[in-house]
Amino acid sequence: MVRGISYQGVFRRAFIDSFRKLDPRLQYRNPVMFVVEIGTLVTLIMSLDPRVFGGPADSGARGYDVLVTVILIVTLLFANFAEALAEGRGRAQAESLRRTKAETVAHRIDESGAKLGDVPASRLHKGDLVRVDAGELIPADGEIVRGVASIDESAITGESAPVIREAGGDFSSVTGGTRVLSDWIEMRVEQEPGKSFLDRMIALVEGAERQKSPNELALTVLLAALTLIFLLVIDTLPPMAGYLHASLSVATLIALLVCLIPTTIGALLSAIGIAGMDRVIRFNIIAKSGKAVEAAGDVDTLILDKTGTITLGNRMADAFQPMPGVAYEDMVHAALLASEHDETPEGKSIVVLAEREGQHVAAGELDGASPIVFSAETRRSGVLLASGREIAKGAVDVIRRAAEKSGSPIPPELDAVTEQIARSGGTPLGVVEDGKVLGVIHLKDIIKSGMQDRFAALRRMGIHTVMVTGDNPLTAATIAREAGVDDFIAEAKPEDKMRRIREEQADGRLVAMTGDGTNDAPALAQADVGLAMNSGTSAAKEAGNMVDLDSDPTKLIEVVSIGKQLLITRGAITTFSIANDVAKYFAIIPAMFVTAVPALQALNVMHLTSPQSAILSALIFNALIIPALIPLALRGVRYRPMGATEMLRRNILIYGLGGVVLPFVGIKLIDLALTALGLARI
Amino acid sequence: MTWQGLLGDALLLVVVTLAAVPVGRYMYNVFEGDRSLLDRVMGPLERGIFRLAGIDESQGMDWRSYAIAFLLSNLAMAVVVYLILMFQQDLPFNPARLGPVAPTTIFNTVASFVTNTNWQVYSPEQTLSNLSEFALQFLQFATPAAGLVVAIAFVRGFVAGRRDLGNYYRDLVRALTRIFLPIAFIAAIALIATGVPDTLSGSVIAHTITGATQTIARAPAAGFEAIKQLGTNGGGIFNVNSAHPFENPGPLSNLIEEFLMALLPTSLVFTFGHYIKNRRQAWIIFGVTMSLMVVLLLVIYSAEAAGNPLVHRLLGVAGPNWEGKDTRFGISGSSLFTTLTTAYTTGAVNTMHDSLTPLGGLVPLFEMMLNTVFGGKGAGLLNILMFFIISVFVTGLMVGRTPELFGKKIEVREVTAAAAAMLVHPFIILAATALALSTAAGRAGIFNPGFHGISEVVYAYASSAANNGSAFAGLGASSPFYAISTGIVILLGRYLSMLLLLYIAGSLLAKKTVPASTGTLRTDTWTFGWIYLGIVLIVGALTFFPVLALGPIAEQLAMLAGRVF
């Protein structure tokens, strides 16, 4: 979801930032580009005074040195721009989330509810109590301690329908920046200023303070090692060339160095990481660390709640099954009457189905009837008609007990029908009239549309899915089969989730799960990726390492894709960057030794016009490839779920082989352009 | 190239492959099996050795203890051999009454032999007494065994559920008693059968029909030759090494020697397959490595068979490049021997590498620069797996998961150590080459200035760094400058990377083994095998392209262009 961000502003600021980031103290974090910066400094000094590094005073190569310097500076600016642009977009995204927050005034209160005075929201501390009335903005993330209110969360979720939040239970947490629509609440602030989820998220997209994630760190090490190798290659070249009485210009050596060290990935690495975080925000998910997003890509096992994630929250009536000797119409009509007063989605669905079957409540039929309300004790609901008829529906064991109590015979078919419904994944709901079992309503779990495809995709990614449900094993197995999940835990208690996570982890697997309730918190903390629902308790939000502002548990699947995409993009551009070196060698080595080793001209396979144009072309290609790949770095390499080997083959063809071939074409084209511009011989 | 030549070469590679599979399984049994072939004979002997040395061989070691045991045992051996070489003139078994050895030569020789390199800056028959030769021969047994067991320890880091890297002393002793001694014994007898002499007597004086007298050096050659090849040592007992008729009398002995040097490093790949319980993986590594070696063999064979166009023009006849080769072995036997000796980092030579065509000479040089074409005892597999770590890291990212290798996650620590290990090899070769080419002492040793001189120098350091030991020759390697600098390169090339890899093994050992899923990057596929090879070649080529361009490539291009030096 994109909220009106001024991209023009982002570009302008990124442009200014690319110059600001030339500061060596900032460049130092990126070893590859730091080496480029030092090289630039050297050629810059040479452009000003060629004698500094032992060159002749008027070598006529000054124009060449200046050109090399300019290209190097542009290379640095491109790299900085990539990072600044990614930062700017992420920042804009995050700031639009909290834009409203800054000016909010908070009414502090004490434990008894007495007013303590107003303070700006930014001065609130963890543990402060605050009262928010209808029409006011909630000043900070926190938990309701008193009151019930409807709250407009559209500012962060984009969902316009208000939600109800109340003290106690699993719907007690509120987010700063959302608005109370009706009533009032008293809440406890749960975050220190500057430490809210949003603040943490913003820190993740700020290049300077960003913590590198583990894989990014490992890649940086590898890039530094490659840079060191090429530094060595270049450093040992002059003595070797000297033995052949060839002198090499310092600018050419620096040009070769910059071409060889992995500048492409070095320039884009940070942007890729930031853009990954940014993509997470676009999905309205707040990640607390880059590590969490990366871990999502590694997930082996996904533990999902059945209700609300795999199936719609409510079961729907699917069929009526009368017992032998009971007319179908009679049973449907009885079920209709028993459900007329039932406001639950299940009850409503029975009414809808009964009416579709042609049964309607006759005029006056329910006059004087009193509803039997569902209670935890009786576990049944229904209606007591004025005529004294009592029709009730409830779990089959409840109905059976009612029949037994009244002494009516229990139809022998009841068990068979019940089991058949359970086996097909449904929930049986018995209908009883004055102790006589009329039949069974087949309530069915409706699997959310598209879930089958998503689980199939997960299987192709190699992710094992586990469904957690309170249903009996028979029902659970059927739903699991229909939805296409690999495994299930039936009749699950909260601690079962935890146990399963521990088991999976003991086998070396990485586990992701979603949760919202307070009793999910330990499991969310234990899981490698815990996606907490924003609607959930603050304990859950604190325990998870990501929070979904839309409270849509299926988004875990998207997070996995984003995590994978992040890694793939890094790997692809690294491969591309290294593969590029082959062509650059063929351009630069013959050019370097054109006078000392004329035989090497046979390696000038691209037939570049002159030594200078060969070196400049390679260097310009090296610079231009950075902005050319910025869109890819920000968008990420397209990820489609497929097996690892297949994906590797595809990506190595595109980025490996492509990386070898493309620069041959690119360098040749630039050489032609330079020749046309008359810059080939200076 | 002739079809007979190709067939002969192909036949040998097939025989090596056929032997490597069972020998690989046997080696696994030696290190891990409860029972193995020679238990009855060697069991009591081994127990005696452990009791005598006071070693509890059942005690598993972590990477630190293993590394320390490896280093200390190497140091102890080095000191003993150092003393023997230093005082050989005063010690027995010196029938030829050879005098003291130059101090720089001793340093270089000890460094070279304790690291399984066998780079020789001296002429053995004119420098070393029989006792000194025996001391070196001891190292020719002990050091390949030491290299082999370090690789075994490293591989154990990948084995699921293991808590230690094994016991260094147990591994070392068993490698000697179960692998090196028995095979070398059989091989020596086979070599005697082909005409290789084995005697402790000194030189004989021969009177030729023209009336001149000739001093013919003799030596316990068969025993020396067997372990020289089997242990990928390569240090000859005669100066011209396997080109000497006493070391290598004919085509049959030549084939036996080629077989011996290829046997154990090839088998080790299959041993590795048993360790990680994935024989397919072993075949993939074998397949891509063998393919590379075959391609390189064809390059050198065709280059040597094509000969030198300059010579052709001069003589008016076209023909192969026979300079520095022996008709006993032919162009094909010489090319294969050269390819194998640098692939397996043996360092024995039956051909003068300095006399190869530039392109032909590039092959042995490039193999040592890559250092992963099967490689030497243990060191080869270590380098292959080090590049596996690098490859799996880069490509593993491309499938969207934290990279895993054989079920172990490859993270910052492993990448750092593997990248450092990857740096060592080019670093010591290029830095030392640059030093030699830019100093008077280094330049003084070069016999053939120009492009060929660069090849001579870089070959010396590549051979040292890869612990190969073969010489390109054409270089005054015995001068103090080269004796000391190659000695240092040899030591760094051996110990730095081995320590870094043991460190990785220690880190891997502590990790859980992640079960594979379809999302896991499988390394036992041909796709990954070729990618691995591509990365090895690209890193190797990118690192060494400039120096190769200035050496053999420039020379070859100049030769083809008709330029004479």
Side-chain angles (χ1 to χ4, degrees), chain A residues 407-421:
Chain A
S408 321
I410 291 162
E413 289 79 3
L414 181 64
D415 282 343
V417 170
T418 305
E419 204 193 310
Q420 181 227 328
I421 291 173

PDB file of all heavy atoms in Angstrom, chain A residues 407-421:
ATOM      1  N   GLY A 407     -35.446 -39.980  27.972  1.00  0.00           N
ATOM      2  CA  GLY A 407     -35.829 -41.359  27.792  1.00  0.00           C
ATOM      3  C   GLY A 407     -36.162 -41.738  26.358  1.00  0.00           C
ATOM      4  O   GLY A 407     -36.587 -42.864  26.106  1.00  0.00           O
ATOM      5  N   SER A 408     -35.996 -40.835  25.419  1.00  0.00           N
ATOM      6  CA  SER A 408     -36.288 -41.190  24.033  1.00  0.00           C
ATOM      7  C   SER A 408     -35.182 -42.119  23.519  1.00  0.00           C
ATOM      8  O   SER A 408     -34.041 -42.016  23.933  1.00  0.00           O
ATOM      9  CB  SER A 408     -36.304 -39.939  23.143  1.00  0.00           C
ATOM     10  OG  SER A 408     -36.901 -38.883  23.817  1.00  0.00           O
ATOM     11  N   PRO A 409     -35.542 -42.982  22.598  1.00  0.00           N
ATOM     12  CA  PRO A 409     -34.505 -43.846  22.034  1.00  0.00           C
ATOM     13  C   PRO A 409     -33.542 -43.038  21.158  1.00  0.00           C
ATOM     14  O   PRO A 409     -33.956 -42.093  20.485  1.00  0.00           O
ATOM     15  CB  PRO A 409     -35.309 -44.846  21.187  1.00  0.00           C
ATOM     16  CG  PRO A 409     -36.580 -44.142  20.862  1.00  0.00           C
ATOM     17  CD  PRO A 409     -36.865 -43.199  22.001  1.00  0.00           C
ATOM     18  N   ILE A 410     -32.304 -43.413  21.175  1.00  0.00           N
ATOM     19  CA  ILE A 410     -31.318 -42.716  20.344  1.00  0.00           C
ATOM     20  C   ILE A 410     -31.200 -43.481  19.037  1.00  0.00           C
ATOM     21  O   ILE A 410     -30.927 -44.674  19.033  1.00  0.00           O
ATOM     22  CB  ILE A 410     -29.965 -42.661  21.068  1.00  0.00           C
ATOM     23  CG1 ILE A 410     -30.103 -41.724  22.270  1.00  0.00           C
ATOM     24  CG2 ILE A 410     -28.863 -42.167  20.140  1.00  0.00           C
ATOM     25  CD1 ILE A 410     -29.066 -41.880  23.294  1.00  0.00           C
ATOM     26  N   PRO A 411     -31.434 -42.787  17.924  1.00  0.00           N
ATOM     27  CA  PRO A 411     -31.388 -43.507  16.639  1.00  0.00           C
ATOM     28  C   PRO A 411     -29.995 -44.125  16.434  1.00  0.00           C
ATOM     29  O   PRO A 411     -28.988 -43.452  16.650  1.00  0.00           O
ATOM     30  CB  PRO A 411     -31.643 -42.415  15.595  1.00  0.00           C
ATOM     31  CG  PRO A 411     -32.066 -41.211  16.339  1.00  0.00           C
ATOM     32  CD  PRO A 411     -31.655 -41.356  17.756  1.00  0.00           C
ATOM     33  N   PRO A 412     -29.937 -45.365  16.036  1.00  0.00           N
ATOM     34  CA  PRO A 412     -28.630 -46.010  15.841  1.00  0.00           C
ATOM     35  C   PRO A 412     -27.797 -45.335  14.746  1.00  0.00           C
ATOM     36  O   PRO A 412     -26.584 -45.429  14.755  1.00  0.00           O
ATOM     37  CB  PRO A 412     -28.996 -47.445  15.433  1.00  0.00           C
ATOM     38  CG  PRO A 412     -30.442 -47.444  15.109  1.00  0.00           C
ATOM     39  CD  PRO A 412     -31.070 -46.261  15.762  1.00  0.00           C
ATOM     40  N   GLU A 413     -28.465 -44.665  13.827  1.00  0.00           N
ATOM     41  CA  GLU A 413     -27.720 -44.019  12.736  1.00  0.00           C
ATOM     42  C   GLU A 413     -26.939 -42.794  13.208  1.00  0.00           C
ATOM     43  O   GLU A 413     -26.074 -42.295  12.494  1.00  0.00           O
ATOM     44  CB  GLU A 413     -28.665 -43.585  11.606  1.00  0.00           C
ATOM     45  CG  GLU A 413     -29.251 -44.721  10.802  1.00  0.00           C
ATOM     46  CD  GLU A 413     -30.433 -45.401  11.514  1.00  0.00           C
ATOM     47  OE1 GLU A 413     -30.821 -44.930  12.605  1.00  0.00           O
ATOM     48  OE2 GLU A 413     -30.947 -46.399  10.986  1.00  0.00           O
ATOM     49  N   LEU A 414     -27.268 -42.283  14.386  1.00  0.00           N
ATOM     50  CA  LEU A 414     -26.655 -41.019  14.844  1.00  0.00           C
ATOM     51  C   LEU A 414     -25.127 -41.094  14.804  1.00  0.00           C
ATOM     52  O   LEU A 414     -24.450 -40.194  14.277  1.00  0.00           O
ATOM     53  CB  LEU A 414     -27.131 -40.690  16.264  1.00  0.00           C
ATOM     54  CG  LEU A 414     -26.583 -39.378  16.843  1.00  0.00           C
ATOM     55  CD1 LEU A 414     -27.056 -38.167  16.041  1.00  0.00           C
ATOM     56  CD2 LEU A 414     -26.978 -39.198  18.305  1.00  0.00           C
ATOM     57  N   ASP A 415     -24.603 -42.210  15.349  1.00  0.00           N
ATOM     58  CA  ASP A 415     -23.144 -42.331  15.410  1.00  0.00           C
ATOM     59  C   ASP A 415     -22.518 -42.336  14.021  1.00  0.00           C
ATOM     60  O   ASP A 415     -21.522 -41.671  13.759  1.00  0.00           O
ATOM     61  CB  ASP A 415     -22.750 -43.614  16.147  1.00  0.00           C
ATOM     62  CG  ASP A 415     -22.896 -43.425  17.646  1.00  0.00           C
ATOM     63  OD1 ASP A 415     -22.972 -42.239  18.060  1.00  0.00           O
ATOM     64  OD2 ASP A 415     -22.946 -44.431  18.380  1.00  0.00           O
ATOM     65  N   ALA A 416     -23.173 -43.113  13.131  1.00  0.00           N
ATOM     66  CA  ALA A 416     -22.609 -43.233  11.781  1.00  0.00           C
ATOM     67  C   ALA A 416     -22.564 -41.872  11.093  1.00  0.00           C
ATOM     68  O   ALA A 416     -21.543 -41.476  10.520  1.00  0.00           O
ATOM     69  CB  ALA A 416     -23.433 -44.224  10.966  1.00  0.00           C
ATOM     70  N   VAL A 417     -23.700 -41.139  11.176  1.00  0.00           N
ATOM     71  CA  VAL A 417     -23.773 -39.828  10.518  1.00  0.00           C
ATOM     72  C   VAL A 417     -22.747 -38.872  11.123  1.00  0.00           C
ATOM     73  O   VAL A 417     -22.029 -38.161  10.421  1.00  0.00           O
ATOM     74  CB  VAL A 417     -25.208 -39.265  10.638  1.00  0.00           C
ATOM     75  CG1 VAL A 417     -25.240 -37.811  10.172  1.00  0.00           C
ATOM     76  CG2 VAL A 417     -26.189 -40.111   9.849  1.00  0.00           C
ATOM     77  N   THR A 418     -22.690 -38.887  12.459  1.00  0.00           N
ATOM     78  CA  THR A 418     -21.752 -37.992  13.144  1.00  0.00           C
ATOM     79  C   THR A 418     -20.319 -38.247  12.687  1.00  0.00           C
ATOM     80  O   THR A 418     -19.567 -37.327  12.352  1.00  0.00           O
ATOM     81  CB  THR A 418     -21.835 -38.243  14.665  1.00  0.00           C
ATOM     82  OG1 THR A 418     -23.184 -38.099  15.055  1.00  0.00           O
ATOM     83  CG2 THR A 418     -20.965 -37.271  15.409  1.00  0.00           C
ATOM     84  N   GLU A 419     -19.982 -39.536  12.644  1.00  0.00           N
ATOM     85  CA  GLU A 419     -18.600 -39.855  12.296  1.00  0.00           C
ATOM     86  C   GLU A 419     -18.295 -39.483  10.855  1.00  0.00           C
ATOM     87  O   GLU A 419     -17.222 -38.991  10.534  1.00  0.00           O
ATOM     88  CB  GLU A 419     -18.344 -41.349  12.518  1.00  0.00           C
ATOM     89  CG  GLU A 419     -16.861 -41.614  12.739  1.00  0.00           C
ATOM     90  CD  GLU A 419     -16.539 -43.090  12.656  1.00  0.00           C
ATOM     91  OE1 GLU A 419     -17.229 -43.878  13.324  1.00  0.00           O
ATOM     92  OE2 GLU A 419     -15.601 -43.434  11.912  1.00  0.00           O
ATOM     93  N   GLN A 420     -19.298 -39.729  10.012  1.00  0.00           N
ATOM     94  CA  GLN A 420     -19.082 -39.420   8.594  1.00  0.00           C
ATOM     95  C   GLN A 420     -18.838 -37.923   8.393  1.00  0.00           C
ATOM     96  O   GLN A 420     -17.972 -37.509   7.623  1.00  0.00           O
ATOM     97  CB  GLN A 420     -20.305 -39.902   7.804  1.00  0.00           C
ATOM     98  CG  GLN A 420     -20.219 -39.672   6.301  1.00  0.00           C
ATOM     99  CD  GLN A 420     -21.491 -39.065   5.775  1.00  0.00           C
ATOM    100  OE1 GLN A 420     -22.572 -39.343   6.293  1.00  0.00           O
ATOM    101  NE2 GLN A 420     -21.367 -38.217   4.776  1.00  0.00           N
ATOM    102  N   ILE A 421     -19.610 -37.110   9.151  1.00  0.00           N
ATOM    103  CA  ILE A 421     -19.424 -35.657   9.033  1.00  0.00           C
ATOM    104  C   ILE A 421     -18.041 -35.258   9.538  1.00  0.00           C
ATOM    105  O   ILE A 421     -17.310 -34.492   8.909  1.00  0.00           O
ATOM    106  CB  ILE A 421     -20.537 -34.908   9.799  1.00  0.00           C
ATOM    107  CG1 ILE A 421     -21.871 -35.113   9.085  1.00  0.00           C
ATOM    108  CG2 ILE A 421     -20.198 -33.419   9.905  1.00  0.00           C
ATOM    109  CD1 ILE A 421     -23.066 -34.555   9.842  1.00  0.00           C
TER     110      ILE A 421
END
